[in-house]
Amino acid sequence: MEHLQRDVVVIGAGPSGLTAAYELSKAGKSVAVLEARDRVGGRTWTDQMDGATIEIGGQWISPDQTGLYSLINELGIETFERYKAGKSVYLNESGEAIVYEGEDFPVAANTIAEMNKLIGVMNDLAAQMNPDKPWDHPQAQELDMISFHHFLRQNSSDELACKNVGLFIAGGMLTKPAHTFSALQAVLMAASAGSFDNLVDEDFILDRRMVGTMQGVSKELAARLGEEIIFLNNPVLKLEWNDHGVVAHGETVTVSASKVVLAVPPNLYSRITYVPALPRKQHVTHQHQSMGLVIKVHAVYETPFWREDGLSGTCFGPDALIQEIYDNTYTGESTGTLVGFISDLRADEMWELDDEARRQAILEGIAAYLGDKALDPKVFYLSDFAAEEWTRGAYATSYDLGGLHRFGPVQNDNVGPIYFSSSDLAGEGYQHVDGAVRMGRRSAARIIAALDGTSYDENYDGVKTLTPVTEKVSA
């Protein structure tokens, strides 16, 4: 067992933990990062399959994600635009594939009007929210007591309008049935992206991708930190702490430090034994935060055949097995890649099938939008983060009904030397790598202030780096 003495130990080598470690190192603090997996990146992960680049985890960056943009600019990472040219496809309740152009789904005018009304209601509510403190919203308690499913139907009697609007947050973001989370949680999702308009605009929220993939951001951070800082295959199963510091017990490394950054999603906090135990409020709070469930479908073809038909590859179907599909072809590749998403209850159904039946059902789901050419991919792969021991779901945690305003106010409070940092706890950038970066920087800023005996700027939003530098940092 290797024993280390550091100013700070970071648990988790995803974007938030590595950003925190990077900022702390640049500020002259000694750091060690303990990671359970055999790789960095957390919920961002990339693989090569038959010559195609597959982003198994998070991948997109949108214009509002200014924290992430500032980091990749510092790291020298470029982006490329997601393929968007051409018409989209909408699968209606009858299973009919309708090709359309423009922002509006090809549904009745009165349904469009009701959708716009619901979007307007969400925009108004989001505008009243500070995403860092959603529990301070003037209607926080009221909105947290009603499910998003019932909230939509309380504001519209058009069932199709409710389904179409609901899919962007329920299936598309929180990956939970809309009856299991509150309207307040939905408003937070909108406020974190700037508005509900941004969430329903796929060309905004899924604007660009990373050259080198999103996991490449973590890889570049790790390269700058160096091998002497990051210890893979070291799950932390015991954390001793008191007012003076911590001892983190990894698989092969033990780190004594003044502070610890717990940079894993809240559903994994309980994997660690705390000595002494965490306070009662933290125990209860963590039990009300859970991951959603989504299957990310990757299908690679010899060519992007849908482009030949003037299609963008963008598809929506609120009642379909696969609610969303996008052209996910990586820059410079001649093959064509589609990515689709199967959420919550439908994902449950798919995992009940055997491999062949599951594959057939999903490919038929893609073909319902884009035709029989979709039935014969050269690569077929399903991302299953729910089966990952050190993730256990996707994309991020959210509170159960009534939990956000009740427990949220303490979610970012440090417990003595223990600081919590992940995209799950972010305001702006919630659930996205942008939120992970912001939280990493903010955690680092709080710890630097505590170690140096200086004040912490409560208004710091994590967008700008704490210490500009272009050189590799050291331990």
Side-chain angles (χ1 to χ4, degrees):
M1 178 71 71
E2 184 175 4
H3 298 271
L4 303 175
Q5 182 76 43
R6 297 286 189 269
D7 293 323
V8 184
V9 57
V10 177
I11 300 173
S16 195
L18 290 175
T19 298
Y22 183 53
E23 294 291 352
L24 289 162
S25 295
K26 286 191 295 179
K29 308 305 179 186
S30 59
V31 183
V33 180
L34 302 183
E35 166 58 45
R37 296 180 174 91
D38 61 359
R39 61 173 179 83
V40 300
R43 284 168 274 181
T44 63
W45 186 17
T46 305
D47 203 354
Q48 292 288 320
M49 301 182 189
D50 200 4
T53 301
I54 302 296
E55 295 208 58
I56 297 169
Q59 61 175 85
W60 288 291
I61 181 171
S62 54
D64 62 312
Q65 295 181 12
T66 49
L68 178 54
Y69 262 114
S70 73
L71 176 61
I72 65 172
N73 287 339
E74 179 177 346
L75 299 177
I77 295 173
E78 298 180 349
T79 65
F80 66 96
E81 187 175 8
R82 176 179 67 85
Y83 186 83
K84 307 170 187 174
K87 299 177 181 180
S88 303
V89 180
Y90 178 84
L91 205 64
N92 67 17
E93 293 174 290
S94 301
E96 178 187 5
I98 303 172
V99 176
Y100 70 100
E101 292 183 277
E103 297 179 359
D104 291 337
F105 288 163
V107 295
N110 61 302
T111 295
I112 292 295
E114 287 297 299
M115 289 176 63
N116 288 334
K117 183 182 78 173
L118 290 171
I119 291 169
V121 169
M122 292 297 292
N123 278 334
D124 290 344
L125 291 170
Q128 300 175 64
M129 177 180 283
N130 173 357
D132 279 338
K133 298 181 179 180
W135 40 85
D136 287 345
H137 190 282
Q139 296 175 250
Q141 185 170 358
E142 172 189 344
L143 291 170
D144 214 22
M145 291 173 63
I146 183 172
S147 75
F148 188 48
H149 171 96
H150 291 96
F151 172 82
L152 290 173
R153 286 150 185 84
Q154 187 181 76
N155 284 276
S156 176
S157 59
D158 189 312
E159 182 63 19
L160 183 56
C162 293
K163 286 182 179 179
N164 282 338
V165 170
L167 76 84
F168 288 100
I169 285 185
M173 292 291 175
L174 298 182
T175 64
K176 294 178 176 179
H179 63 268
T180 64
F181 61 88
S182 72
L184 184 67
Q185 188 80 58
V187 175
L188 169 59
M189 193 77 249
S192 72
S195 70
F196 198 83
D197 278 329
N198 288 342
L199 286 185
V200 300
D201 181 357
E202 71 275 7
D203 288 345
F204 179 90
I205 203 71
L206 310 179
D207 181 36
R208 302 182 72 85
R209 297 171 62 190
M210 300 292 172
V211 174
T213 78
M214 189 66 83
Q215 189 190 10
V217 178
S218 291
K219 288 181 176 180
E220 179 59 28
L221 286 169
R224 296 201 177 202
L225 286 165
E227 294 180 357
E228 68 276 16
I229 288 180
I230 301 172
F231 300 87
L232 302 177
N233 299 304
N234 262 282
V236 174
L237 302 181
K238 181 179 179 182
L239 187 66
E240 298 176 273
W241 64 281
N242 56 42
D243 290 340
H244 305 291
V246 301
V247 180
H249 298 269
E251 186 76 21
T252 63
V253 177
T254 297
V255 183
S256 298
S258 297
K259 308 288 183 183
V260 60
V261 179
L262 190 52
V264 299
N267 64 305
L268 296 183
Y269 293 166
S270 61
R271 290 300 306 274
I272 299 173
T273 296
Y274 302 87
V275 182
L278 292 178
R280 177 188 302 105
K281 191 73 170 181
Q282 290 289 342
H283 280 168
V284 177
T285 296
H286 303 159
Q287 294 180 57
H288 291 268
Q289 294 168 284
S290 62
M291 284 280 186
L293 176 63
V294 65
I295 300 172
K296 186 177 183 182
V297 179
H298 311 266
V300 181
Y301 302 87
E302 293 293 345
T303 63
F305 63 85
W306 50 92
R307 298 182 189 177
E308 300 168 6
D309 298 325
L311 300 177
S312 64
T314 299
C315 308
F316 295 104
D319 290 304
L321 172 65
I322 308 173
Q323 290 188 324
E324 303 173 80
I325 298 175
Y326 302 98
D327 185 322
N328 212 39
T329 308
Y330 187 71
T331 182
E333 294 183 349
S334 60
T335 53
T337 302
L338 292 172
V339 64
F341 298 92
I342 304 172
S343 292
D344 52 75
L345 300 178
R346 293 299 187 96
D348 287 340
E349 294 171 7
M350 288 298 99
W351 291 126
E352 290 298 318
L353 301 177
D354 62 45
D355 290 349
E356 186 53 41
R358 184 185 311 117
R359 174 190 172 96
Q360 187 65 27
I362 292 173
L363 290 177
E364 288 176 357
I366 299 174
Y369 292 101
L370 298 173
D372 288 348
K373 291 181 181 178
L375 293 172
D376 189 27
K378 60 182 290 188
V379 173
F380 178 79
Y381 180 81
L382 305 180
S383 296
D384 182 17
F385 272 92
E388 291 283 320
E389 181 180 5
W390 302 109
T391 305
R392 301 188 173 192
Y395 308 110
T397 61
S398 54
Y399 283 96
D400 54 20
L401 196 63
L404 180 55
H405 90 284
R406 180 183 175 191
F407 303 110
V410 304
Q411 68 179 17
N412 286 317
D413 291 348
N414 59 294
V415 177
I418 305 171
Y419 293 73
F420 303 95
S421 184
S422 70
S423 63
D424 313 75
L425 306 178
E428 292 182 81
Y430 168 57
Q431 283 208 341
H432 294 91
V433 177
D434 178 69
V437 170
R438 290 172 184 251
M439 288 300 297
R441 285 176 169 165
R442 294 169 87 171
S443 297
R446 292 171 65 195
I447 289 173
I448 291 168
L451 292 176
D452 292 350
T454 59
S455 60
Y456 167 68
D457 180 4
E458 295 288 346
N459 295 317
Y460 175 55
D461 59 8
V463 170
K464 293 184 178 180
T465 183
L466 297 172
T467 310
V469 68
T470 57
E471 299 297 321
K472 177 180 178 293
V473 298
S474 62

